[in-house]
Amino acid sequence: MQVTVKTTKIEKQKAGCLLLGAAEGKLQSMTLKGLAPEFAAVLKKSAAREKFSGKTGQLLELTAPADCRADRLLLIGLGEEKSTTGETLRRAVGTAVQRLQKVHEHDLVIAFDTFPLRKTAPAGRAEALTEGALLGDYRFDRYQTEEKEADANTPVRVSLLVAARDLIEVETGVAVAEAVSAGTILARDLVNEPGNIKSPEYLASQAQKMCSDVGLECTVLGHRELEKEKMGAMLGVAQGSVREPRLIVMQYHGASAGQKPIALVGKGVVFDSGGISIKPSEGMEEMKMDMGGAAAVIGTMLAAARLKLPCNLVGVVPAVENMPSGTAIRPGDILTSHSGKTIEVVNTDAEGRLILADAISYVRRFEPVEVIDLATLTGACIIALGHHATALLGNDTRLIGKLLRAGEASGERLWQLPLWEEYNEQIKSCVADVKNVGGRPGGTITAAAFIQKFAEGLNWVHLDIAGTGWEEKGCPCYSFGGTGVGVRLLSRYLRDL
Ligand code: BES
Ligand code: ZN
Ligand code: ZN
């Protein structure tokens, strides 16, 4: 999708659809800047007739009056003015774009000034609106040959109609949103790709392709190198699958060589059957999304490169498939991890923490200033927080605070869970240094407590995206499937540094 910026007068602008935002109860008193009085009068009259009050997500579709060059007008409710956020604007445009796709309208012009946002400069508003358009327009349709023919999936062309004084700022905002959305869309594509295609090798090749496109360094370790590195926990998980594991290492240099990098680590289980502790068949198809953390890291590396952020980053993805077979690890097996610590594998379905342990231990060689890991780690996280917040746990209060703020600002919200010493009791093993499950109570916390053992001495935060990485039904503004969560959050965090 292409997003352009224009400074034409509203009525002069040719458009398939002209989109106007209206806060709740504000339409009747709204002075529609740049809109001819007759035009505004028609709008207000129709809104009154259709009982359009401006509630969040409410839509009113009209044929444009004769003196307007748009074919149709779409009015979207923004809800209460005082509670409007960037996410409100994103969702509004996302909803409009999805509506237009349904009626095969592919030309959208957004009246920028009808989407105000308190304390936010034009660049920030443009960013939110553009993200809403790009992410709302997204769908994973590469395997839908029949629907494609019906042109329902043609992308929508979007223009922002702005006052001349805002032009430069808005263009900057659009460019930022395009970079971040490209990262999010790449992450979604990777998550949505089915397991038969998505081997660890496939994930590595996609990462390599992205890196060569934007000039990042990329190294991929195969089975033999992983053995040499003694990545025993990661190799343990991989050994049940005929597909070989890969460790993907991406590096972005945006600051001086002396500056220590921030490390991003993403769980890359391309398919999680549970292994010998096999999962129930119902819903197992969703477990192709168990590399959402990896996708977020790959997507963020792309966004960082496109934004030319002034920092150094290293992105590490342990990519494996978790399968049951004659060569798979068994419950009761003891693995020696990269760090040298031994792990009793009580449940082979708690595989994510095993590969993260080795990947975090591996990134120490880069002497990172901080390590942020992202993983679809625990079902317990969905029980605790549902689908509207990513769980955050860690050992660095400052980093935690900054990430929480980035979560609010980006719309990818985080909620902190405690990581008190007492939880370590649950993962003590009688036969090894640690065991990989801590029982049902506080499952998200004990998983993080396990990872913490491998992050000793590092400034570290863990993000459990099990509940936020996958959209089950599809909502008015986002399509069904992978959400690409983490890319907007981390891009925001890195930009604010
Ligand atoms: N990949 C799953 C967690 C998951 C569940 C992600 C649902 C997304 C949606 C993870 O590997 C897993 O199976 N965790 C187990 C851990 C348990 C055995 C301690 C779980 O949560 O049940
Ligand atoms: Zn699992
Ligand atoms: Zn898993």
Side-chain angles (χ1 to χ4, degrees):
M1 180 203 271
Q2 242 189 321
V3 179
T4 50
V5 188
K6 292 181 172 142
T7 54
T8 332
K9 262 208 153 56
I10 289 189
E11 300 98 329
K12 295 273 163 58
Q13 178 60 48
K14 217 172 143 355
C17 174
L18 176 65
L19 179 69
L20 305 162
E24 193 163 356
K26 286 290 154 73
L27 184 70
Q28 297 305 333
S29 62
M30 191 161 137
T31 48
L32 290 163
K33 262 184 263 157
L35 219 61
E38 317 82 70
F39 186 172
V42 172
L43 210 65
K44 289 180 182 181
K45 205 166 160 190
S46 316
R49 188 193 62 207
E50 300 294 330
K51 302 206 167 26
F52 176 92
S53 61
K55 277 201 174 42
T56 315
Q58 203 180 7
L59 283 172
L60 177 66
E61 209 170 318
L62 302 168
T63 306
D67 52 359
C68 171
R69 296 192 66 207
D71 295 334
R72 73 174 92 204
L73 293 181
L74 192 58
L75 207 60
I76 180 137
L78 301 176
E80 270 187 67
E81 199 167 12
K82 64 175 190 324
S83 41
T84 317
T85 63
E87 190 64 11
T88 315
L89 301 196
R90 266 189 291 272
R91 283 172 181 263
V93 178
T95 306
V97 165
Q98 299 220 333
R99 163 82 199 134
L100 293 187
Q101 276 180 342
K102 282 209 186 76
V103 296
H104 299 232
E105 171 58 69
H106 300 124
D107 179 42
L108 174 67
V109 173
I110 301 173
F112 185 72
D113 284 334
T114 63
F115 292 90
L117 191 55
R118 277 177 317 129
K119 293 191 208 147
T120 309
R125 283 158 56 209
E127 203 182 307
L129 294 170
T130 306
E131 273 181 6
L134 293 169
L135 301 179
D137 196 41
Y138 174 84
R139 29 173 121 183
F140 185 71
D141 56 10
R142 63 177 73 149
Y143 297 105
Q144 288 183 309
T145 57
E146 288 176 13
E147 240 190 79
K148 239 182 198 157
E149 277 156 16
D151 113 307
N153 300 344
T154 318
V156 178
R157 256 189 329 276
V158 175
S159 316
L160 294 178
L161 216 54
V162 309
R165 63 174 144 74
D166 292 335
L167 181 64
I168 304 288
E169 261 217 65
V170 167
E171 279 177 339
T172 313
V174 169
V176 168
E178 281 175 334
V180 176
S181 301
T184 305
I185 286 168
L186 172 61
R188 287 182 180 182
D189 277 343
L190 292 172
V191 171
N192 290 330
E193 196 63 46
N196 54 330
I197 305 294
K198 191 168 54 186
S199 58
E201 190 186 353
Y202 172 89
L203 203 57
S205 70
Q206 293 298 302
Q208 269 169 325
K209 185 176 167 303
M210 179 281 288
C211 287
S212 80
D213 284 349
V214 292
L216 301 187
E217 212 178 297
C218 186
T219 327
V220 176
L221 278 65
H223 193 267
R224 271 238 304 280
E225 288 126 309
L226 292 169
E227 273 180 343
K228 252 192 237 149
E229 282 284 347
K230 299 203 169 73
M231 305 279 277
M234 178 178 169
L235 285 167
V237 177
Q239 76 188 42
S241 172
V242 292
R243 291 159 156 187
E244 279 194 9
R246 294 285 184 271
L247 187 77
I248 308 165
V249 183
M250 297 160 282
Q251 282 178 271
Y252 166 69
H253 307 282
S256 66
Q259 195 169 316
K260 301 265 190 284
I262 293 172
L264 306 176
V265 179
K267 171 179 173 181
V269 176
V270 294
F271 183 72
D272 182 12
S273 68
I276 295 296
S277 316
I278 197 163
K279 287 182 180 295
S281 55
E282 200 187 314
M284 203 202 270
E285 73 281 2
E286 263 184 31
M287 280 303 122
K288 68 171 185 178
M289 60 79 98
D290 211 18
M291 37 57 72
V297 171
I298 297 169
T300 304
M301 296 299 288
L302 170 61
R306 287 199 38 181
L307 291 167
K308 298 195 169 56
L309 295 178
C311 61
N312 291 333
L313 295 176
V314 54
V316 173
V317 169
V320 297
E321 182 174 47
N322 188 21
M323 290 297 239
S325 75
T327 61
I329 42 167
R330 296 148 283 254
D333 282 5
I334 298 174
L335 302 173
T336 302
S337 70
H338 182 257
S339 70
K341 282 195 205 314
T342 57
I343 305 167
E344 179 190 2
V345 179
V346 172
N347 188 318
T348 65
D349 196 11
E351 82 298 338
R353 62 199 79 182
L354 299 175
I355 67 171
L356 288 173
D358 273 2
I360 289 173
S361 174
Y362 181 88
V363 297
R364 285 179 191 272
R365 70 193 56 202
F366 297 100
E367 299 176 27
V369 274
E370 57 203 33
V371 180
I372 302 170
D373 83 69
L374 300 98
T376 46
L377 205 65
T378 62
C381 185
I382 309 177
I383 304 301
L385 299 176
H387 298 283
H388 304 294
T390 292
L392 168 152
L393 307 98
N395 61 14
D396 179 344
T397 322
R398 258 193 53 229
L399 176 58
I400 288 172
K402 286 193 277 184
L403 281 167
L404 286 171
R405 280 192 291 282
E408 289 298 327
S410 65
E412 294 191 337
R413 287 176 293 179
L414 307 174
W415 199 259
Q416 187 180 0
L417 297 179
L419 198 46
W420 298 315
E421 169 62 31
E422 285 82 345
Y423 292 102
N424 287 319
E425 206 53 46
Q426 287 171 245
I427 50 169
K428 281 198 174 138
S429 166
C430 303
V431 291
D433 297 333
V434 64
K435 61 180 178 182
N436 77 332
V437 294
R440 281 171 64 85
T444 303
I445 300 173
T446 52
F450 177 94
I451 300 171
Q452 187 176 29
K453 294 216 174 288
F454 298 84
E456 270 165 19
L458 296 169
N459 302 319
W460 158 80
V461 160
H462 160 66
L463 303 173
D464 193 331
I465 57 169
T468 48
W470 184 259
E471 169 64 47
E472 274 174 31
K473 302 179 291 289
C475 66
C477 50
Y478 298 127
S479 65
F480 156 87
T483 60
V485 74
V487 178
R488 286 200 278 136
L489 166 79
L490 293 176
S491 302
R492 182 76 255 175
Y493 167 69
L494 296 170
R495 285 169 62 205
D496 287 345
L497 284 178

